[in-house]
Amino acid sequence: MTSLAILVPIALTMGLCGLATFFWALRGGQFEDLDGAANRILIDDETDLTP
Amino acid sequence: MNAPALATALAREASEETVLIVPAMHCAGCMAKVEGGLLKVEGVSGARVNLSARTVRVSHERAVTIPELTAALETLGFASQPRLEETQAAPSAVKPLLAPLAVAGFASMNVMLMSVSIWSGAEGATRELFHWVSALIGVPAIAFAGRPFFASAWSALRKGRTNMDVPISIGIALATALSLYETAVGGRTAWFDGTLMLLLFLLAGRTLDAAMRDRARAGVEALLRQAASGAMVIAPSGKLDWVAARDLAPGMRMRVAAGERLAADGEIVAGETALDQSLLTGESAPVRAQVGAPIHAGTLNLDAPIDVRVTATGRDTSLAEIARLIEAAGQSRSAYVRIADRASRYYAPAVHTLALASFVGWMLAGAGFYQSIVIAIAVLIITCPCAIGLAVPVAQVVACGALMRKGIMVKDGSALERLASIDRALIDKTGSLTLGQPMPDAAALAALSPEQSEVALALASHSRHPLSHALSRALVQSGTRAAELDHASEAPGRGVQAQWCGRTVALRRPDVAGAVAVALDLDGEPVRLITFVDPLRPDAVQALAQLKAQGIDCSILSGDNAVAVAEVARQTGLTGQSSASPADKTDAVTRLQQAGHRVLMVGDGLNDGPALASADASIAPGTASDVGRQAADVVFLGESLTALPRAIDAARRTMRVVRQNFALAIGYNVLAVPLAILGYVTPLIAAVAMATSSILVIANSLRLVRAAR
């Protein structure tokens, strides 16, 4: 039981962190242009192109 | 901070953002070129491409003007234009579904962890704790992630109708209530895991469906925005100004250069030219027009610059009249009921009756109220159309993706369903069966000597006339090199004249009227007439043969004159109707529909718009008019007409897979429902059955990846 009392909250917190990260990414516009994101890895030197 | 520094900081802050539409971007190379090219412009601080929407967002100082930005892109070979407020992309259908999908995914995974422990034998206090933790995660998650379904079910119920979301919502609500009760009394089974998994799968199906619509719409919108509509307007002071089509007003005088399309109806006040009205009437031969002639928006000016006094704009033009016809015609199509909705019409009442019957049956058999209601809810959960929710969208998304890779854009899933049922096709001539652009007759080109070809190319490259463009393109393709010319000059409406090796040479309007041709006049040699034809699309004959093999009868429905239609009919072996007005075309479609046919309309022009909208399904080439592309369900890029049989074949395959998916999903119910009615279904069985049937349906749909071969 004691192990559960620790592990269950840990599992839930980790899950919630993942969910929060997803929402952060969603709000930050990272899902706005999925085609572009897929292609951007092919651009050689992207640091020069973005401000 | 001292004052000058503050001022520069403010100046930097006072930057603007402009969104440019760049329809030609399609790969990483284009993105890098566009972003890099824009950043090189003085005063631009940032450029970010959105490839899905084919736009680039530029942050720049106020001093930088939009023409500077478009010019920078022009030098890189990308046509672009600023995005107008009114053409701003409609809100995405996917975005509101992403958050519920994520919550359902998170919650179902975590609850499943608890459930696995319970299934593997957690007892007593541990089980109770796990049930409570599941409830803590599950209830808020269900309330949040279920909202799209609850909202849709509620709006259907309020109108006295039922849809797929009604049984889903009732099942979810009842299962959650029962699970909460079980948790509170320390019972053996809770259904939080199954409920959340159901939500997850259903939301996944919805998201896919929305993603498909978003993507196709973005593609079509990028095409639509390509057409610059506006005109050079001559102010009373003589100054020339570019005015957008919506700002044109009657009485304005616009100058239309050769090769430009008219943005408004009007009357010629200066100049004489030939007009190409094929987009409006389907008539392929140019019409000569002089001062005083009325001229319609959408007409292409071929020969010489003309001045036109605007008589009607916007909703008063002949274009707007066609738009009204389209609107009226499109209403019949909106009555089409998608296959998923048709299925749920039978499915929802059946599910409810079954659950109610099990409840009544067990009550009559002497079971307690509690046991009966548990079994009834188990029946509801197990029959909840989990795989059925995925059956249609997954198959359609996969097929549309395959078609899109072949340059065929399907606007939505229902278009595929309608396309699959087609058994009759009406095809417009100009621009659909043919390329819609005059090309020099191959026989006339072959008759030229190499010398003559070289001179013709050199002369043609000095002219902006559409025929000269076509001629120089054809000559360059055949490997001709341009001769050296001196003193080349173009007289609008007459032709190009130059000196070549001391001889006067000219490319000019032929003396004989009627034919679409140019005359090549080399001093001292007989005049050569180069005639132009509007050739059939490559593979047109092959594509028509394939359509016939698919059991689809084709015929031509053209606004062009009988002679031109007869020529194409002879080449393709089709029958045809000529000189059809937009209303005639709609009538032809309606007549066939009343005779019991499912009609496909293929067309590109404004005059095809109403027929495209009233047919059961419609296809337009990417070169079509705005109206044609907007009215059509499917738009294909490229020249080949084999896109037609390919799209129909893919649509039919998709419907086959959709039916198989339904069979799989219903087959699972046939196995699981008796177990549920007898009371043997546990949450474990429900979870396994649900996941298995969903995976089967997805795997079956993935076979469509190569549907567009």
Side-chain angles (χ1 to χ4, degrees):
Chain A
M1 264 321 257
T2 37
S3 58
L4 283 181
I6 301 167
L7 289 174
V8 168
I10 288 181
L12 284 181
T13 318
M14 281 165 63
L16 275 175
C17 283
L19 191 65
T21 315
F22 175 77
F23 275 112
W24 166 77
L26 189 63
R27 211 157 287 163
Q30 296 197 26
F31 287 82
E32 296 279 325
D33 181 21
L34 294 174
D35 291 350
N39 274 289
R40 252 172 222 285
I41 56 161
L42 299 173
I43 301 177
D44 285 334
D45 202 2
E46 223 207 325
T47 45
D48 285 348
L49 302 176
T50 45
Chain B
M1 199 186 279
N2 57 17
L6 187 68
T8 35
L10 276 178
R12 208 171 301 131
E13 292 250 316
S15 66
E16 275 187 11
E17 281 210 330
T18 304
V19 178
L20 295 170
I21 300 149
V22 191
M25 283 190 298
H26 66 274
C27 66
C30 309
M31 289 167 79
K33 263 194 240 163
V34 167
E35 290 183 348
L38 284 171
L39 282 172
K40 280 197 200 104
V41 178
E42 190 77 26
V44 170
S45 55
R48 182 83 182 174
V49 166
N50 184 329
L51 191 63
S52 320
R54 303 277 194 273
T55 57
V56 56
R57 181 177 291 277
V58 192
S59 343
H60 56 85
E61 286 167 17
R62 210 154 267 170
V64 181
T65 60
I66 291 169
E68 279 178 62
L69 298 175
T70 50
L73 288 177
E74 189 73 54
T75 55
L76 296 169
F78 290 99
S80 63
Q81 64 181 119
R83 181 163 74 182
L84 303 169
E85 286 312 309
E86 69 213 54
T87 58
Q88 218 150 42
S92 148
V94 174
K95 263 190 114 181
L97 288 172
L98 279 179
L101 183 67
V103 167
F106 158 79
S108 64
M109 277 189 282
N110 281 282
V111 169
M112 195 55 79
L113 277 179
M114 308 287 153
S115 300
V116 169
S117 322
I118 296 171
W119 297 335
S120 38
E123 284 290 336
T126 316
R127 189 176 65 198
E128 238 171 89
L129 171 71
F130 280 2
H131 274 166
W132 275 114
V133 175
S134 301
L136 197 69
I137 307 170
V139 173
I142 290 168
F144 180 74
R147 267 192 325 194
F149 303 100
F150 302 149
S152 148
W154 176 238
S155 76
L157 283 179
R158 246 194 344 205
K159 286 178 206 140
R161 264 182 273 154
T162 172
N163 61 11
M164 197 82 143
D165 293 333
V166 176
I168 293 172
S169 300
I170 294 177
I172 287 172
L174 282 176
T176 313
L178 176 75
S179 308
L180 264 179
Y181 175 77
E182 287 276 310
T183 307
V185 301
R188 295 182 61 84
T189 52
W191 297 83
F192 293 117
D193 51 358
T195 318
L196 280 164
M197 195 154 80
L198 182 73
L199 271 178
L200 176 64
F201 280 125
L202 291 173
L203 281 167
R206 294 283 157 97
T207 312
L208 284 176
D209 197 39
M212 174 175 67
R213 263 177 292 142
D214 273 6
R215 209 159 77 177
R217 206 192 45 209
V220 173
E221 271 176 9
L223 272 178
L224 284 179
R225 297 179 193 131
Q226 212 167 3
S229 60
M232 289 305 267
V233 168
I234 313 169
S237 62
K239 201 166 146 268
L240 278 169
D241 258 327
W242 176 258
V243 175
R246 65 194 146 93
D247 295 331
L248 288 171
M252 281 184 174
R253 189 181 163 121
M254 47 184 189
R255 176 154 298 167
V256 187
E260 272 186 5
R261 263 184 213 289
L262 261 80
D265 283 8
E267 188 188 274
I268 300 182
V269 285
E272 182 194 339
T273 186
L275 301 172
D276 176 356
Q277 298 187 321
S278 60
L279 216 51
L280 277 167
T281 61
E283 170 83 43
S284 56
V287 181
R288 294 217 64 84
Q290 289 156 343
V291 172
I295 179 167
H296 296 291
T299 306
L300 179 68
N301 180 16
L302 283 177
D303 260 1
I306 46 171
D307 285 1
V308 176
R309 191 171 55 80
V310 177
T311 53
T313 57
R315 294 206 58 81
D316 306 325
T317 57
S318 45
L319 274 182
E321 181 56 40
I322 290 181
R324 272 192 288 277
L325 275 175
I326 291 175
E327 218 168 282
Q331 272 159 8
S332 63
R333 187 188 285 172
S334 60
Y336 177 81
V337 185
R338 292 186 62 170
I339 187 166
D341 296 326
R342 261 180 291 163
S344 71
R345 249 186 221 171
Y346 301 103
Y347 198 73
V351 166
H352 286 154
T353 318
L354 205 62
L356 191 67
S358 347
F359 174 73
V360 174
W362 277 94
M363 287 294 276
L364 288 180
F369 175 79
Y370 172 73
Q371 199 193 349
S372 305
I373 198 106
V374 167
I375 288 174
I377 289 173
V379 169
L380 262 188
I381 292 183
I382 210 96
T383 51
C384 245
C386 189
I388 290 185
L390 290 171
V392 183
V394 177
Q396 289 180 345
V397 163
V398 176
C400 284
L403 283 171
M404 204 174 277
R405 281 194 296 279
K406 294 280 180 188
I408 302 169
M409 290 183 290
V410 183
K411 281 196 193 152
D412 66 2
S414 86
L416 276 182
E417 293 173 19
R418 287 181 273 118
L419 202 55
S421 66
I422 291 305
D423 61 359
R424 189 77 172 74
L426 292 172
I427 310 178
D428 174 47
K429 183 185 75 73
T430 320
S432 300
L433 270 177
T434 67
L435 284 170
Q437 298 158 343
M439 301 272 267
D441 196 1
L445 282 189
L448 297 180
S449 70
E451 236 172 31
Q452 286 171 330
S453 307
E454 282 166 25
V455 174
L457 175 56
L459 284 168
S461 62
H462 278 286
S463 166
R464 288 172 47 110
H465 194 282
L467 290 185
S468 300
H469 268 299
L471 180 59
S472 66
R473 223 181 12 248
L475 285 171
V476 167
Q477 263 169 20
S478 67
T480 311
R481 271 189 299 179
E484 290 281 335
L485 296 183
D486 296 315
H487 311 296
S489 67
E490 182 175 17
R494 308 199 57 83
V496 192
Q497 199 171 34
Q499 296 292 317
W500 172 65
C501 302
R503 292 159 70 185
T504 305
V505 291
L507 192 65
R508 59 176 171 80
R509 205 161 83 197
D511 305 317
V512 286
V516 188
V518 293
L520 179 65
D521 192 352
L522 274 67
D523 193 22
E525 286 179 40
V527 174
R528 288 281 184 175
L529 199 65
I530 304 172
T531 48
F532 284 74
V533 288
D534 185 9
L536 281 184
R537 283 176 182 270
D539 319 334
V541 174
Q542 185 200 340
L544 291 169
Q546 285 177 10
L547 283 173
K548 201 170 178 62
Q550 287 172 335
I552 298 169
D553 278 335
C554 302
S555 56
I556 303 172
L557 180 59
S558 175
D560 206 350
N561 62 58
V563 180
V565 173
E567 171 61 22
V568 173
R570 192 186 55 74
Q571 287 175 28
T572 54
L574 298 181
T575 57
Q577 181 183 345
S578 61
S579 311
S581 70
D584 290 343
K585 291 196 175 192
T586 325
D587 284 349
V589 170
T590 326
R591 252 200 323 277
L592 283 171
Q593 282 172 332
Q594 277 163 358
H597 287 291
R598 298 293 186 132
V599 184
L600 168 71
M601 177 74 203
V602 184
D604 69 323
L606 293 166
N607 58 334
D608 299 316
L612 287 171
S614 64
D616 292 288
S618 49
I619 302 184
T623 50
S625 61
D626 290 5
V627 174
R629 283 189 300 229
Q630 238 158 3
D633 297 312
V634 178
V635 176
F636 68 92
L637 306 175
E639 291 187 342
S640 171
L641 206 61
T642 48
L644 261 55
R646 184 175 278 156
I648 291 170
D649 185 48
R652 289 182 176 176
R653 277 167 201 248
T654 311
M655 286 313 282
R656 267 205 297 281
V657 167
V658 164
R659 284 195 203 100
Q660 289 163 4
N661 284 350
F662 274 127
L664 281 172
I666 290 169
Y668 135 86
N669 273 326
V670 168
L671 288 178
V673 167
L675 285 179
I677 294 177
L678 294 175
Y680 290 123
V681 164
T682 62
L684 175 62
I685 294 180
V688 170
M690 228 183 260
T692 320
S693 69
S694 298
I695 289 170
L696 270 178
V697 163
I698 293 171
N700 189 41
S701 305
L702 285 177
R703 297 191 302 129
L704 286 168
V705 164
R706 276 177 307 221
R709 267 172 305 173

